[in-house]
C-alpha cells in the first residue's frame, strides 16, 4: 500500500467507526422524510461529523482532493448507512458539484460557492434535466430547451428543469442552459445563489428513493438574470464540463451504494444465521446460502470494477467508456445484491425495520440517474462500432 493509500485507509477506518457508532443509531429518526432527510437532521449529523474529524474527508486540508482510488476507500465506508454520505458531506449532488467547482471554478467562485459546501454549511443542486412532458433534456442532453440569452452584458435564462436533487433547501445552484447557435448547439454552466426569486419550485416529486435531502424538484426558471462572472468556466463549454463532472460523480455513486449494499448483506447474513425454518437455520438451506454467496461474488466484482475505473481516472483520462462500464456493472450487481437481501429476509426484508428495504429502493433509482444502463450500453456500442470502422478488421 502506497503512502496515499495508507492515508486513505486510516481515514476510511475513522469514517467507518463514525458511521457505525454515531450515524446508524439515527436510521429510525423521524426526520427521515419521504422527500429525503430534513435539514435539521443533516445539520445535527454534520456537527457530529465535524467534531469527529470526518466532515468532507475526501477534500484535503490544502483544498486538494483524494485520488479516486483513495476516494473509493473512504466513500464506501461513508455509504454503510444511507445517512452516512450526508453526515460526512460525501453525498450527491454536493460531492460531484464540489469536484466540478474545484476543477473549473475561478478563485472568486471557489471562495463564494465552494468554500461553504466544503465546510458543510451549504447544500447544492445541479440543474440539467428537463421535464419529459416538455420534450426536454433527459437521456439526450442535446434536447435541452432552457436557454441563456445575452441582454447587454447579462445573461437571461428561461426554461423548466426536473428531477433536481437537493434543490429544496440548497444554497448553491449550477444551471445548464442552451447557448451556441441554431446551427451549432452548445450549453453553458452558470452559478447562482439559492434561493432566487426567478426560480420557482413547482413541486417536489414523490419518488422511489428517499435518501437525498430536499428530494427531487421540478422548477421553472423565469428571466433568471445573471452577470458574466456567474459563468462557470467558459461560454459554450457546458457539455465538456458535464463530462468532467460525470465520470467521477457516477463512480462515487458506485462507491457509496457499494457501502450500502455491503451493509444490507451484513443485515441479511445476521438474519439468516439466527432465523430457523424447517428445523434448521435459513443459511443452511442451500437456496438461501447460495443467494448470499452470489452477493459476495457480486460485491467483490463491483469493488474491483470501481478500483479499476478509479485507476483509469487517476491516470488523467476522462474515463468515459470505463465509467460507463463500471456504472452499468456496479449498479446492476448492487441491485441484485439488494434484491437477494430483501428476499432472504422474507417479510422483514420489505419493512422499514432495517435499511435493507431502503437500500433496495435507492439502488433501483441509481440504475436510472447518472445515465440509465441502456444509454451507457448504447454509447459503448457506438464506441465499438467507431473503433472497428477506424481500426479495420483484426
Ligand atoms: C433519483 C433521481 C435523481 C436525479 N437527479 C438529478 C439532478 O440532480 N440533476 C439533473 O439534472 N438530473 C437528475 N436526474 C435526472 C436523470 O439524469 C435522468 O432521469 C436520466 O438522465 C434519464 O432521463 P429521463 O428520465 O428523461 O429518461 P428518458 O430520456 O425519457 O429515457 C427513458 C429510458 O429510455 C431508455 N433509453 C434512452 N436512450 C436510450 C438509448 N440511446 N438506447 C437505449 N435505451 C435508451 C432508457 O432505458 C431510459 O431509462 C435524476 C433522476 C433520478 C431518477
Amino acid at each position: 500500500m502506497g503512502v496515499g493509500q495508507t492515508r486513505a485507509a486510516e481515514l476510511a477506518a475513522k469514517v467507518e467507526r463514525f458511521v457505525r457508532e454515531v450515524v446508524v443509531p439515527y436510521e429510525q429518526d423521524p426526520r427521515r422524510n419521504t422527500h429525503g432527510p430534513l435539514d435539521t437532521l443533516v445539520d445535527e449529523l454534520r456537527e457530529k461529523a465535524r467534531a469527529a474529524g470526518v466532515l468532507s474527508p475526501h477534500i484535503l486540508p490544502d483544498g486538494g482532493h483524494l485520488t479516486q482510488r483513495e476516494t473509493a476507500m473512504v466513500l464506501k465506508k461513508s455509504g454503510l448507512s444511507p445517512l452516512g454520505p450526508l453526515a460526512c458531506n460525501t453525498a450527491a449532488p454536493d460531492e460531484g458539484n464540489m469536484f466540478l467547482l474545484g476543477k473549473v471554478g475561478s478563485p472568486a467562485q471557489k471562495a463564494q460557492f465552494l468554500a461553504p459546501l466544503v465546510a458543510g454549511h451549504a447544500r447544492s443542486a445541479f440543474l440539467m434535466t428537463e421535464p419529459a412532458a416538455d420534450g426536454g433534456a433527459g437521456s439526450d442532453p442535446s434536447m435541452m430547451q432552457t436557454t441563456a440569452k445575452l441582454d447587454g452584458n447579462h445573461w437571461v435564462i428561461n426554461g423548466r428543469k426536473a428531477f433536481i436533487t437537493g434543490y429544496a433547501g440548497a444554497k448553491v445552484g449550477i444551471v445548464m442552459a442552451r447557448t451556441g447557435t441554431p446551427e451549432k448547439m452548445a450549453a453553458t454552466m452558470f452559478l447562482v445563489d439559492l434561493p432566487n426569486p426567478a426560480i420557482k419550485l413547482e413541486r417536489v416529486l414523490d419518488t422511489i428513493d428517499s435518501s437525498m435531502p430536499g428530494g427531487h424538484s421540478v422548477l421553472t426558471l423565469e428571466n433568471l438574470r445573471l452577470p458574466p462572472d456567474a459563468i462557470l468556466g467558459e461560454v459554450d463549454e457546458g457539455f465538456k464540463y458535464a463530462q468532467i463532472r460525470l465520470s467521477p460523480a457516477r463512480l462515487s455513486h458506485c462507491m457509496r451504494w457499494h457501502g450500502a449494499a455491503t451493509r444490507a448483506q451484513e443485515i441479511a447474513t445476521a438474519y439468516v444465521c439466527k432465523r430457523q425454518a424447517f428445523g434448521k437455520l435459513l443459511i443452511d438451506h442451500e437456496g438461501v446460502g447460495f443467494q448470499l454467496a452470489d452477493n459476495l461474488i457480486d460485491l467483490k466484482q463491483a469493488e474491483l470494477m470501481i478500483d479499476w475505473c478509479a485507476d483509469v481516472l487517476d491516470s488523467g483520462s476522462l474515463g468515459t467508456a470505463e465509467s460507463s462500464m463500471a456504472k452499468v456493472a456496479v449498479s446492476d450487481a448492487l441491485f441484485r445484491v439488494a434484491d437477494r437481501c430483501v428476499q432472504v429476509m422474507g417479510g422483514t426484508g420489505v419493512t422499514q425495520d432495517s435499511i435493507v428495504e431502503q437500500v433496495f429502493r435507492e439502488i433501483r433509482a441509481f440504475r436510472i440517474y447518472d445515465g440509465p444502463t441502456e444509454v451507457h450500453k448504447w454509447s459503448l456500442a457506438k464506441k465499438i462500432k467507431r473503433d472497428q470502422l477506424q481500426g479495420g478488421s483484426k
Side-chain angles (χ1 to χ4, degrees):
M1 213 185 263
V3 178
Q5 288 199 23
T6 308
R7 163 184 73 182
E10 285 165 8
L11 256 176
K14 214 164 141 183
V15 168
E16 175 168 8
R17 208 167 331 117
F18 173 74
V19 172
R20 288 192 190 276
E21 290 173 9
V22 180
V23 178
V24 166
Y26 278 88
E27 283 174 352
Q28 298 298 327
D29 192 292
R31 289 170 291 175
R32 287 179 328 140
N33 190 285
T34 46
H35 290 154
L38 299 180
D39 275 316
T40 55
L41 178 56
V42 177
D43 292 343
E44 190 172 317
L45 286 168
R46 285 198 181 166
E47 206 43 62
K48 298 201 170 194
R50 202 171 278 120
V54 293
L55 189 81
S56 316
H58 54 304
I59 310 281
L60 299 169
D62 67 358
H65 200 287
L66 293 181
T67 65
Q68 289 298 321
R69 190 64 182 269
E70 294 170 311
T71 303
M73 296 166 79
V74 175
L75 262 62
K76 277 188 291 186
K77 299 303 182 192
S78 75
L80 284 167
S81 166
L83 291 172
L86 59 94
C88 297
N89 200 21
T90 56
D94 295 331
E95 185 269 332
N97 292 341
M98 287 190 269
F99 183 84
L100 179 65
L101 278 163
K103 288 268 179 223
V104 185
S106 67
Q109 288 171 336
K110 285 183 189 171
Q112 185 181 349
F113 297 104
L114 179 58
L117 288 175
V118 173
H121 295 309
R123 292 195 291 97
S124 61
F126 187 73
L127 286 69
M128 182 155 95
T129 304
E130 297 170 340
D134 296 354
S139 301
D140 181 356
S142 74
M143 288 162 67
M144 189 165 295
Q145 296 183 345
T146 301
T147 55
K149 295 202 169 129
L150 265 177
D151 179 23
N153 73 341
H154 276 56
W155 291 85
V156 180
I157 304 177
N158 281 287
R160 289 177 80 218
K161 296 286 177 186
F163 290 104
I164 306 308
T165 303
Y167 174 82
K171 294 189 177 144
V172 175
I174 302 176
V175 181
M176 276 276 269
R178 194 181 180 109
T179 45
T181 59
E183 297 76 42
K184 192 168 180 295
M185 198 269 174
T188 301
M189 285 190 184
F190 297 87
L191 281 162
V192 56
D193 270 319
L194 298 176
N196 182 302
I199 307 180
K200 292 194 183 54
L201 197 168
E202 289 182 31
R203 67 191 175 110
V204 180
L205 296 162
D206 293 322
T207 54
I208 194 170
D209 63 320
S210 57
S211 69
M212 303 184 192
H216 315 289
S217 294
V218 181
L219 312 169
T220 304
L221 289 72
E222 201 178 334
N223 295 325
L224 171 64
R225 206 175 163 80
L226 295 173
D229 62 7
I231 291 174
L232 180 57
E234 304 286 330
V235 175
D236 289 350
E237 296 288 356
F239 288 128
K240 188 174 99 189
Y241 303 142
Q243 278 309 319
I244 293 176
R245 181 186 185 280
L246 270 181
S247 291
R250 66 173 68 114
L251 193 64
S252 69
H253 277 303
C254 295
M255 298 168 188
R256 288 182 293 263
W257 292 130
H258 188 282
T262 301
R263 175 98 183 290
Q265 168 85 341
E266 289 173 12
I267 294 169
T269 302
Y271 183 89
V272 302
C273 289
K274 191 165 176 219
R275 174 83 166 147
Q276 297 213 351
F278 304 101
K280 55 184 178 182
L281 289 173
L282 287 176
I283 183 80
D284 292 328
H285 290 279
E286 191 174 272
V288 170
F290 273 22
Q291 293 198 60
L292 293 190
D294 283 335
N295 278 358
L296 217 52
I297 295 165
D298 269 336
L299 284 167
K300 181 49 81 179
Q301 285 179 338
E303 183 186 322
L304 294 174
M305 205 75 186
I306 291 169
D307 287 349
W308 162 73
C309 184
D311 284 345
V312 171
L313 296 183
D314 285 335
S315 74
S317 162
L318 267 183
T320 310
E322 291 85 352
S323 69
S324 279
M325 286 189 253
K327 205 270 178 175
V328 171
V330 174
S331 61
D332 285 356
L334 299 184
F335 184 67
R336 290 192 295 270
V337 170
D339 185 44
R340 292 187 198 109
C341 289
V342 168
Q343 193 68 18
V344 300
M345 288 175 67
T348 307
V350 296
T351 70
Q352 295 190 356
D353 286 359
S354 84
I355 59 150
V356 171
E357 173 267 357
Q358 184 185 1
V359 172
F360 173 80
R361 290 187 285 107
E362 300 286 342
I363 295 176
R364 184 63 191 85
F366 175 39
R367 292 174 64 213
I368 307 258
Y369 56 73
D370 278 15
T373 298
E374 297 73 24
V375 175
H376 287 297
K377 288 186 180 174
W378 169 77
S379 80
L380 288 168
K382 281 201 304 182
K383 176 179 158 40
I384 292 166
K385 179 180 170 192
R386 207 169 46 239
D387 291 350
Q388 174 67 16
L389 297 185
Q390 282 168 3
S393 57
K394 295 208 167 78

